[in-house]
């Protein structure tokens, strides 16, 4: 065993294909990706025509593809090479700080230009739209990571980008907004008076902090009413987005070969599920087909516990009920989660694939509170040097808990988590933590119960 700290792949080892989990899903495909995506009005399975108003055709093709390996287009690989392959670290100093016999590894996606995993799909989506000759994209952003990824991607392919940013984040995270604007996109706090839906929400509740669901509705409305000028891009949840992110786990598999180890536990934080899926699905593929038995854990905030408390049922992807209806773990599309600082984890639903895998027992889910999560983040930063994004800190918290369990049980396991991004634009949240201003929100059971009365009526004959 060497005493290396990091495992770096040369550019030539950048994967040439993404892993598409559709053919390996252990459930009926009608439960996940494609023929269970329903039109928000008719509740009938959507047609490619309906979807093609929103998304590039190639993206829709990926959603229904049953090919296990989907080639990464060369122009996308060329841009990936600006920062990929990303490093896999052995967290030796954290192991020491925890005095654990566990081996802790983390894959670091914070090395991308915008500091998170999100460009892995933004680049692909922008390339597909460019191929179709559209003018640009509308999109939403929570904490601002998706907006900055999309803004960078659009700029690289010479496309316009219009971002609806959840209002609470717009004001909490001005530097993210400025980053988005630096790449040339426009940013609007959501709800806004630019869309019919935004005006309706503001009329009902002028002081709303906004939510990802509301911002999605505004961005979808702006694309749908643009006469084909703009496509809409989603940064998580959908099958193709999860697939684009598998470049993370595929690199990690090669890096574990270099390390001469294989993970017993894989951990990722889950907002819509994309960084979790991107890291975990290639390892699940090994579980399904190669006799591996790795535990796979998705971590979410207690304030928005979609997987651990949400029901697995059909719901709208957005608050205004304009986006397609899918079967997923949901807290109800009208649920507005408390304004925790991990803005990227404030979504009412969860990727259908991730939901189905949980339902089938292939993965586990854990919810953690905000304050212990920041405690873990700070301990990690003081051991390893990297200030993690508050979202990523959820994965760190559970990795540390598992490492401490190893110590108590006297066993050495290999624990790997995805460090989905750095926290340099989230220092306001760290400041609030250091000043003792953070709250642990109890699960808002009553609000969720109320939201669950607004589920769509679906009759899948
Ligand atoms: C957006 C984001 C998340 C949450 O989104 P997923 O689709 O669940 O990955 C997590 N971490 C970071 C750093 C993010 O930017």
């Amino acid at each position: 065993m060497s005493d290396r700290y990091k495992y770096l792949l040369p550019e030539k080892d950048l994967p040439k294909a993404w892993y598409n989990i559709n053919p390996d899903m252990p459930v009926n495909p009608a439960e996940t990706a494609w023929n269970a995506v329903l039109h928000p009005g008719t509740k009938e399975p959507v047609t490619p025509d309906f979807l093609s108003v929103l998304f590039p055709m190639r993206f829709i093709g990926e959603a229904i593809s049953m090919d296990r390996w989907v080639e990464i287009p060369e122009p996308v690989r060329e841009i990936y090479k600006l920062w990929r392959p990303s490093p896999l670290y052995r967290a030796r100093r954290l192991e020491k700080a925890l005095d654990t016999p566990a081996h802790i590894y983390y894959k670091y996606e914070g090395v991308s230009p915008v500091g998170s995993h999100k460009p892995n799909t933004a680049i692909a989506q922008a390339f597909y739209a460019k191929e179709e000759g559209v003018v640009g994209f509308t999109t939403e952003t929570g904490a601002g990571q998706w907006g900055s990824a999309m803004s960078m991607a659009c700029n690289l392919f010479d496309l316009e980008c219009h971002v609806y940013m959840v209002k609470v984040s717009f004001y909490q995270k001005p530097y993210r907004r400025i980053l988005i604007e630096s790449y040339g996109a426009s940013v609007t706090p959501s709800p806004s008076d630019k869309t019919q839906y935004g005006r309706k929400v503001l009329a009902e509740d002028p002081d709303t902090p906004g939510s990802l669901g509301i911002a999605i509705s505004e961005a979808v409305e702006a694309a749908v009413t643009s006469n084909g000028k703009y496509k809409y891009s989603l940064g998580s949840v959908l099958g193709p987005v999860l697939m684009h992110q598998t470049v993370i786990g595929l690199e990690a598999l090669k890096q574990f070969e270099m390390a001469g180890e294989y993970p017993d536990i894989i951990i990722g934080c889950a907002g819509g599920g994309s960084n979790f899926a991107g890291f975990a699905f290639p390892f699940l593929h090994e579980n399904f087909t190669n006799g591996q038995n790795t535990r796979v854990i998705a971590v979410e905030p207690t304030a928005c516990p979609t997987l651990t408390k949400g029901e697995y049922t059909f719901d709208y992807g957005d608050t205004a009920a304009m986006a397609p209806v899918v079967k997923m773990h949901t807290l109800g599309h009208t649920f507005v989660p408390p304004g925790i600082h991990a803005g990227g984890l404030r979504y009412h639903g969860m990727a259908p694939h991730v939901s189905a895998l949980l339902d089938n027992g292939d993965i586990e889910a854990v919810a953690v509170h905000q304050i212990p999560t920041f405690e873990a983040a700070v301990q990690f930063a003081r051991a390893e040097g990297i200030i993690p994004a508050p979202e990523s800190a959820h994965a760190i918290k559970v990795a540390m808990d598992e490492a401490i369990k190893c110590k108590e049980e006297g066993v050495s396991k290999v624990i790997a988590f995805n460090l989905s991004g750095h926290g340099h634009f989230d220092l306001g949240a760290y400041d609030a933590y250091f000043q003792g201003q953070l709250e642990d929100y109890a699960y808002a059971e009553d609000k969720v119960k109320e939201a669950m009365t607004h589920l769509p009526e679906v009759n899948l004959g």
Side-chain angles (χ1 to χ4, degrees):
M1 181 81 50
S2 71
D3 53 3
R4 287 176 67 168
Y5 283 85
K6 59 188 183 304
Y7 298 88
L8 302 172
L9 294 171
E11 280 177 20
K12 71 171 174 47
D13 282 348
L14 182 66
K16 293 199 163 57
W18 293 298
Y19 167 57
N20 174 18
I21 201 170
N22 281 348
D24 293 329
M25 283 298 286
V27 294
N28 183 341
E31 299 260 311
T32 53
W34 34 296
N35 41 3
V37 176
L38 309 182
H39 189 285
T42 64
K43 316 291 187 310
E44 298 284 331
V46 291
T47 58
D49 275 357
F50 169 78
L51 288 178
S52 69
V53 174
L54 292 175
F55 303 111
M57 273 319 282
R58 187 149 167 185
F59 185 81
I60 297 166
E62 288 178 344
I64 61 177
S65 169
M66 289 300 270
D67 297 335
R68 188 168 282 108
W69 303 103
V70 173
E71 192 192 332
I72 305 175
E74 207 43 45
V76 174
R77 285 186 86 235
E78 279 304 306
I79 293 175
Y80 277 180
K81 284 183 194 164
L82 289 173
W83 70 94
R84 304 210 72 86
S86 69
L88 178 79
Y89 285 89
R90 170 91 184 264
R92 290 183 186 273
R93 289 173 190 276
L94 180 65
E95 289 169 16
K96 212 170 189 185
L98 297 174
D99 189 25
T100 174
H103 294 185
I104 306 174
Y105 289 84
Y106 58 96
K107 179 78 167 156
Y108 187 39
E109 289 295 302
V111 295
S112 87
V114 295
S116 78
H117 65 289
K118 292 208 169 64
N120 297 332
T121 182
I123 300 296
Q125 294 189 46
F127 172 65
Y128 297 162
K130 188 67 185 178
E131 271 187 325
E132 282 185 20
V134 303
V135 172
F137 273 103
T138 65
T139 194
E140 76 290 333
T141 195
Q145 290 104 328
W146 175 241
S148 48
M150 209 53 218
S151 182
M152 177 184 83
C154 284
N155 173 63
L156 288 167
F157 287 105
D158 205 14
L159 295 164
E160 286 180 25
C161 183
H162 301 284
V163 181
Y164 291 86
M165 185 167 186
V166 177
K167 195 159 73 181
V168 60
S169 301
F170 185 93
Y171 293 109
Q172 267 179 4
K173 313 204 168 181
Y175 291 114
R176 278 273 168 209
R177 167 179 63 75
I178 298 164
L179 180 65
I180 298 170
E181 290 169 345
S182 301
Y183 294 112
S186 75
V187 190
T188 304
S190 166
S192 76
D193 59 9
K194 278 194 182 174
T195 65
Q196 209 179 344
Y197 183 68
R199 289 190 291 273
K200 180 169 167 260
V201 175
L202 284 174
E204 282 164 12
D205 183 5
D207 297 325
T208 173
S211 73
L212 214 47
I214 295 170
I216 291 173
S217 300
E218 290 204 271
V220 166
E221 183 185 324
V224 167
T225 56
S226 76
N227 280 323
K229 252 175 90 177
Y230 299 108
K231 295 285 175 190
Y232 163 73
S233 75
L234 195 59
S236 188
V237 180
L238 302 174
V241 176
L242 310 190
M243 184 183 81
H244 299 155
Q245 294 295 353
T246 60
V247 65
I248 303 171
L250 293 168
E251 287 175 4
L253 275 170
K254 290 187 195 173
Q255 288 161 314
F256 273 108
E257 259 174 50
M258 290 170 79
E261 301 215 78
Y262 194 84
D264 298 298
I265 306 176
I266 284 283
I267 302 165
C269 67
S274 77
N275 90 84
F276 165 75
F279 186 47
F281 282 6
F283 291 94
L284 281 178
H285 179 240
E286 297 298 311
N287 280 4
F288 295 152
T289 62
N290 254 339
Q292 292 290 356
N293 196 22
T294 298
R295 276 179 68 202
V296 175
I297 308 173
V299 189
E300 61 187 10
T302 311
C304 190
T306 319
L307 286 168
T308 51
K309 300 277 191 188
E311 205 178 302
Y312 183 44
T313 186
F314 283 92
D315 198 6
Y316 299 99
D318 70 329
T319 306
M322 287 169 66
V325 170
V326 293
K327 190 170 181 189
M328 61 180 173
H329 275 85
T330 180
L331 299 167
H333 64 283
T334 57
F335 175 66
V336 178
I340 53 166
H341 284 274
L345 305 184
R346 292 178 72 241
Y347 180 58
H348 69 270
M350 182 57 63
H353 290 81
V354 174
S355 298
L357 290 162
L358 179 70
D359 194 56
N360 195 55
D362 296 301
I363 64 170
E364 303 165 35
V366 178
V368 293
H369 274 296
Q370 177 161 252
I371 292 172
T373 298
F374 271 90
E375 267 165 30
V378 170
Q379 192 175 2
F380 176 82
R382 289 179 184 175
E384 295 289 318
I386 296 171
I387 303 275
E391 290 87 353
S392 320
H394 288 70
I396 296 175
K397 166 69 182 146
V398 171
M400 285 169 55
D401 287 349
E402 290 292 336
I404 290 164
K405 250 186 247 165
C406 283
K407 180 184 176 182
E408 289 164 359
E409 292 167 6
V411 293
S412 171
K413 287 184 183 158
V414 177
I415 300 168
F417 66 89
N418 191 31
L419 186 48
S420 51
H422 67 60
H424 296 179
F425 291 96
D426 303 287
L427 293 177
Y430 279 87
D431 195 36
Y433 167 68
F434 292 131
Q435 312 258 353
Q437 290 165 354
L438 292 191
E439 275 182 67
D440 278 341
Y441 296 95
Y443 167 54
E445 194 171 351
D446 290 349
K447 279 190 175 172
V448 170
K449 254 197 193 136
E450 200 282 325
M452 291 302 282
T453 63
H454 303 292
L455 294 183
E457 279 190 30
V458 169
N459 186 358
L460 281 186

